[in-house]
Amino acid sequence: MSLGMDLASLARRLDARGGRLPFEIGAYVALEVCERLLEGPAMLDAEDVRVAPDGVVSVYALPGSADGASAARSVAAILAQLLVAAGGNVPPALLRLVDEGPSGGQWSLPRLRDELEATLVPLNRSAARRVLARMVRDLSKDPEPARRAAPPTPAAPVPAAQEDSRTKKL
């Protein structure tokens, strides 16, 4: 049984396929994360948030490990990553939340939740979970794309005069 995937993997796999995450789905995920953190603020990043094969969003961070303002900023950072995965046509209200925070810089989880929810009216949570579930199932079929690494250092050429015993037999 699959445990789903974290948001960082989801974004990488979408990018590798040339796909986009609908901005509404990214905002929905940020809303779900925000609601989870209301129970106990925590600092987190995209690796700490998983989407299960049924579309349920879970947060894996130590509750109470941060204050509300820091937790709200970490949700905004995750939202920023999700909006990058969305590409263009992101509503200005979502971009403002990422840049300035809720209510023009009053960083709090309840305010962030309220403003995220307002950008998603009308919000159909069941439909959003179905879209996420389908996305996770589809992306789970492909292996994880390799993380970009530094280009390999070219090997030194082997002089043509050198032969080993295997090449002499041919």
Side-chain angles (χ1 to χ4, degrees), residues 64-108:
S65 62
D67 63 18
S70 298
R73 288 180 192 276
S74 69
V75 174
I78 288 172
L79 176 60
Q81 289 178 295
L82 296 170
L83 295 179
V84 166
N89 299 322
V90 174
L94 287 174
L95 296 175
R96 222 176 357 267
L97 273 177
V98 168
D99 289 338
E100 300 170 13
S103 302
Q106 297 179 21
W107 290 97
S108 79

Side-chain angles (χ1 to χ4, degrees), residues 33-114:
V33 170
C34 196
E35 288 180 345
R36 300 297 178 283
L37 292 183
L38 285 170
E39 300 164 9
M43 290 296 295
L44 48 88
D45 58 27
E47 287 84 15
D48 298 324
V49 179
R50 293 191 74 80
V51 180
D54 62 357
V56 172
V57 176
S58 300
V59 172
Y60 294 91
L62 183 61
S65 62
D67 63 18
S70 298
R73 288 180 192 276
S74 69
V75 174
I78 288 172
L79 176 60
Q81 289 178 295
L82 296 170
L83 295 179
V84 166
N89 299 322
V90 174
L94 287 174
L95 296 175
R96 222 176 357 267
L97 273 177
V98 168
D99 289 338
E100 300 170 13
S103 302
Q106 297 179 21
W107 290 97
S108 79
L109 288 168
R111 286 182 186 265
L112 182 58
R113 182 213 43 225
D114 293 346

Side-chain angles (χ1 to χ4, degrees), residues 24-39 51-59 109-110 112-134:
E24 301 91 342
I25 299 301
Y28 165 74
V29 169
L31 174 65
E32 289 283 307
V33 170
C34 196
E35 288 180 345
R36 300 297 178 283
L37 292 183
L38 285 170
E39 300 164 9
V51 180
D54 62 357
V56 172
V57 176
S58 300
V59 172
L109 288 168
L112 182 58
R113 182 213 43 225
D114 293 346
E115 291 187 32
L116 280 168
E117 195 168 37
T119 66
L120 293 168
V121 172
L123 173 60
N124 185 334
R125 290 177 188 258
S126 297
R129 272 192 296 276
R130 285 192 302 271
V131 169
L132 275 170
R134 186 175 344 111

Side-chain angles (χ1 to χ4, degrees), residues 5 13 17 133-142:
M5 69 179 60
R13 289 179 186 209
R17 282 188 171 185
R134 186 175 344 111
M135 200 175 290
V136 167
R137 285 191 308 266
D138 288 348
L139 293 173
S140 293
K141 293 176 186 175
D142 295 335

